[in-house]
Amino acid sequence: MDPRGQKHLLGRPEQGILPMDIWFNLVLFVHLVALVVGAATNVVMPVIGGRLAKMPPEMRGEFGAIAGRLSRNSQIALGLLVITGIIMVALRYGGLEGASPWFIAKLVLVGLLGVVLVAARVIPPARFNPRVFGMLVRLALLGIIFCAVMAFN
Ligand code: HEM
């Protein structure tokens, strides 16, 4: 209701267009959609990668392009996860003070995931097995989701 007693479809006017909880939920929604995109890519990539190596060269180009598109999507998803995560912390918690150990562990794992992803770009594949990178990324992702569930439930 607004001060004149009229219902406001988008929330209470004194709180802005939408109440803060709804903003938070919308950002959490984007956070979780980004998680779906990032996680799905991480499940699909090893399947494509495994087949790619055994494919005849004429098919490799098309599948390589698909793999490239998917890994671009997962990079965008990771960026969105970090941005929306920071927005949620700012909106609801106002910073990291008083954060639970599970939440800190989640952030440490996000940092490690970032390091692994940068290393995968910098270190040539001949010096480090890309499969090991893939495993590390999947392990970090599982750990992050576990810590998030423990932290917020
Ligand atoms: C790979 C990166 C990330 C993944 C996979 C991830 C995963 C998740 C998941 C699964 C949830 C839902 C937890 C639940 O409600 O049970 C969640 C919520 C949340 N995440 Fe993330 N997250 C990531 C990065 C981040 C970052 C970098 C931050 C902060 C800087 C962050 C802050 C939050 C917050 C504040 C919530 C919601 C808390 C609440 O409901 O009160 N996340 N995340």
Side-chain angles (χ1 to χ4, degrees):
M1 301 276 253
D2 74 10
R4 288 158 304 188
Q6 284 173 322
K7 256 204 178 140
H8 198 291
L9 282 179
L10 294 175
R12 281 169 284 168
E14 69 272 20
Q15 284 182 311
I17 293 179
L18 290 177
M20 202 47 87
D21 275 353
I22 306 241
W23 281 119
F24 183 90
N25 287 348
L26 288 175
V27 180
L28 179 60
F29 173 74
V30 177
H31 198 70
L32 295 180
V33 171
L35 171 63
V36 171
V37 174
T41 305
N42 266 281
V43 174
V44 169
M45 279 302 265
V47 180
I48 294 185
R51 295 281 169 93
L52 207 56
K54 297 174 203 145
M55 265 177 202
E58 65 273 15
M59 285 177 77
R60 229 175 265 170
E62 185 64 19
F63 275 82
I66 293 173
R69 178 72 243 187
L70 288 175
S71 78
R72 178 102 193 94
N73 285 353
S74 75
Q75 280 164 8
I76 295 171
L78 183 63
L80 269 179
L81 277 164
V82 172
I83 293 168
T84 50
I86 292 171
I87 295 174
M88 283 190 290
V89 169
L91 281 179
R92 180 162 285 173
Y93 305 102
L96 288 180
E97 210 178 305
S100 75
W102 285 112
F103 189 62
I104 301 294
K106 172 183 165 169
L107 293 186
V108 170
L109 285 173
V110 172
L112 281 177
L113 178 61
V115 170
V116 172
L117 290 176
V118 171
R121 286 189 152 239
V122 176
I123 303 176
R127 288 190 50 208
F128 205 97
N129 188 347
R131 281 188 179 189
V132 177
F133 274 124
M135 288 258 291
L136 288 176
V137 169
R138 276 187 291 284
L139 269 180
L141 211 53
L142 274 181
I144 293 167
I145 296 171
F146 183 76
C147 291
V149 171
M150 295 303 280
F152 298 119
N153 295 281

